[in-house]
Amino acid sequence: ARFDIIFLDPPYGAGAMATALAAAAGLASAETLVVIEHARRDEPPAEAGQLRLTRSLSSGDSGLAFYRCS
């Protein structure tokens, strides 16, 4: 199945973020927006499989990273 929006909220940590993004990449299509919450101290990767970082926001200790397929 393919999705329009995928929201991810894995446990904080770079390893969990990479694992969640890898799983989401298999479910994403060209139109899918993937949003992941992460600890501000953990920099989101610029790419994860077919996903490319398009925007990043932070507030307090948390951040949101937005990805699209390339």
Side-chain angles (χ1 to χ4, degrees), residues 1-6 23-34 50-52 67-70:
R2 300 290 179 187
F3 300 92
D4 295 326
I5 302 173
I6 299 174
L27 300 172
S29 67
E31 295 80 30
T32 304
L33 173 64
V34 177
Q50 65 183 6
L51 298 175
R52 303 290 177 259
Y67 290 85
R68 293 263 188 199
C69 289
S70 59

Side-chain angles (χ1 to χ4, degrees), residues 3-70:
F3 300 92
D4 295 326
I5 302 173
I6 299 174
F7 293 100
L8 303 170
D9 187 12
Y12 282 178
M17 183 170 29
T19 300
L21 285 169
L27 300 172
S29 67
E31 295 80 30
T32 304
L33 173 64
V34 177
V35 182
I36 187 167
E37 182 181 2
H38 60 90
R40 186 176 184 176
R41 68 180 175 274
D42 296 326
E43 190 69 28
E47 52 188 49
Q50 65 183 6
L51 298 175
R52 303 290 177 259
L53 182 66
T54 60
R55 184 175 181 198
S56 184
L57 302 170
S58 61
S59 178
D61 291 336
S62 298
L64 292 175
F66 299 82
Y67 290 85
R68 293 263 188 199
C69 289
S70 59

